[in-house]
Amino acid sequence: MTAAQLIPLIISISIFLLVLALGLDAERKDALYLFHRPLLLFRSIASMNVVMVIIAAAIALLVDMARPVEIALVALAISPVPPILPGKQRKAGGSERYAIGLLVAASLFSVLLAPLGVSLVGLLFGLHLGAPPTRIAFIVLITVLAPLVTGIAVKRFLPELAARVKRPTALVAMVLLVLACLPVLFTTWPVVWGLVGNGVALVLIAFTLIGLLVGHSLGGPVAGDRTALALATGTRHPGVAIAIISLNFPDEKAALAVVLYHLVVGTLVSIPYVRWRRKTARSTLG
C-alpha cells in the first residue's frame, strides 16, 4: 500500500474512532433529535448545504483565486458537518442533543445534496463533475453512521465499558488524525505557501467567518442551537471534500492540502467565537 492510499485510510479510521467516542457518550434520542423538529432541521440544512454553497460559488466567481483554492472551497461547501465537531460545540455551550442530531441529519442529507451540489457547480463553471451517491453514502456510513450506532449500542447495553473506553478512543483517534495530516501538510507546504500570496489564507478565514455568521443567524431562538449551527456551518467533513476532489481532480494535490489547512484555519478562526459563546452560556446559567 502506497502512502497516497495509506493516509486517507488512516484519516477514515481516525474519524471512525472519533464518532465512536461520541456515540459512547450519546443516546438514541440524541441521534433523532432534529427529525422531531422539522423547522430547525430545515434551517440547519439550508445554512450548511444551501447558503454556504451559494457563497462559495460566489467567492469563486468574484475573487481571482488559484484553481486549487477554488476547487477546495467548493468541495468544502458541499461536504457535510465534520464528525469531530460535536465535542467542540459542547465545550462552546452548544446543545449536545442538537450537535449529535445535526451530525446524523447532515450526514444523511449529504448522500443526496453533495452529488447535487457537485453537479450544479459543474454546470455553473462549465465542467463535467460528478460525485456518485454510492461513494458519498459509503463514506458517511463508514465514518459517521456505523460508529455512532455502535457507540450508542455499547453505552446502552454495556454502560460501564462505554464510560471506561470513550476517552482512550477519542485520544487514539486524535493522534491518528494528526499523524495522517502532518505528512500531507509538510509535503505540500511549498505549493500551499506559494498560494498564500494569492489570498488562500484570507479566503479560508472569510469562509469560516461567514459560516459562523450564517449559522448563528439561522440557529433559531435557543442560544445553544445557534452556537452549534454556527460552528457546523463554518466547518466541513474533510473525508467527503477529499473524495469529491479525488474523483474530479485527481492531479490537484494542492487542493487536498487546502482542505486540510482549512481544518487548522477554521479551528483558529473559531476560537474567539467559542470563547464568547462559552462565556455567554456560563453567564446565562449563573
Side-chain angles (χ1 to χ4, degrees):
M1 180 177 290
T2 64
Q5 296 171 322
L6 183 61
I7 289 175
L9 177 60
I10 295 176
I11 292 177
S12 296
I13 293 173
S14 68
I15 292 176
F16 178 95
L17 293 175
L18 280 171
V19 180
L20 177 62
L22 288 172
L24 292 170
D25 200 29
E27 298 179 5
R28 178 177 174 273
K29 60 184 178 182
D30 299 332
L32 300 177
Y33 179 81
L34 270 180
F35 293 98
H36 296 296
R37 294 161 177 81
L39 181 58
L40 182 57
L41 173 62
F42 175 79
R43 290 202 307 267
S44 302
I45 299 302
S47 177
M48 293 183 297
N49 298 98
V50 179
V51 177
M52 291 308 292
V53 172
I54 294 173
I55 289 173
I59 293 175
L61 285 172
L62 298 175
V63 180
D64 185 16
M65 298 183 296
R67 180 178 172 83
V69 183
E70 292 182 348
I71 293 171
L73 189 66
V74 173
L76 286 166
I78 292 170
S79 302
V81 58
I84 62 176
L85 196 60
K88 185 177 180 180
Q89 291 167 324
R90 186 185 310 165
K91 292 178 182 178
S95 168
E96 184 173 342
R97 287 185 177 180
Y98 178 45
I100 297 295
L102 187 60
L103 175 65
V104 174
S107 299
L108 291 174
F109 274 91
S110 70
V111 176
L112 295 175
L113 294 179
L116 178 60
V118 171
S119 299
L120 292 176
V121 170
L123 290 174
L124 180 64
F125 289 95
L127 301 172
H128 297 288
L129 305 181
T134 52
R135 179 71 178 269
I136 303 299
F138 179 76
I139 295 172
V140 169
L141 174 64
I142 295 299
T143 62
V144 179
L145 300 180
L148 186 63
V149 170
T150 300
I152 291 174
V154 172
K155 182 182 180 182
R156 179 171 182 178
F157 296 107
L158 299 169
E160 293 182 359
L161 175 63
R164 189 165 60 249
V165 302
K166 64 181 180 182
R167 291 189 66 181
T169 301
L171 179 61
V172 171
M174 290 305 298
V175 170
L176 287 176
L177 186 61
V178 171
L179 291 177
C181 291
L182 283 179
V184 178
L185 297 178
F186 281 122
T187 56
T188 59
W189 174 249
V191 178
V192 175
W193 180 251
L195 297 175
V196 171
N198 293 330
V200 59
L202 292 176
V203 168
L204 295 179
I205 291 172
F207 181 81
T208 303
L209 289 175
I210 294 172
L212 291 173
L213 177 61
V214 170
H216 188 86
S217 301
L218 294 178
V222 180
D225 292 350
R226 289 201 304 271
T227 301
L229 185 57
L231 291 171
T233 306
T235 52
R236 286 297 182 267
H237 192 314
V240 176
I242 289 172
I244 291 172
I245 294 171
S246 300
L247 285 169
N248 294 285
F249 308 97
D251 297 327
E252 291 287 357
K253 303 302 180 185
L256 301 179
V258 173
V259 169
L260 296 180
Y261 274 105
H262 176 260
L263 291 176
V264 179
V265 171
T267 299
L268 295 176
V269 171
S270 62
I271 286 176
Y273 178 81
V274 170
R275 288 179 176 174
W276 171 54
R277 298 306 294 170
R278 185 186 300 165
K279 183 179 179 179
T280 302
R282 288 175 179 172
S283 63
T284 301
L285 291 175

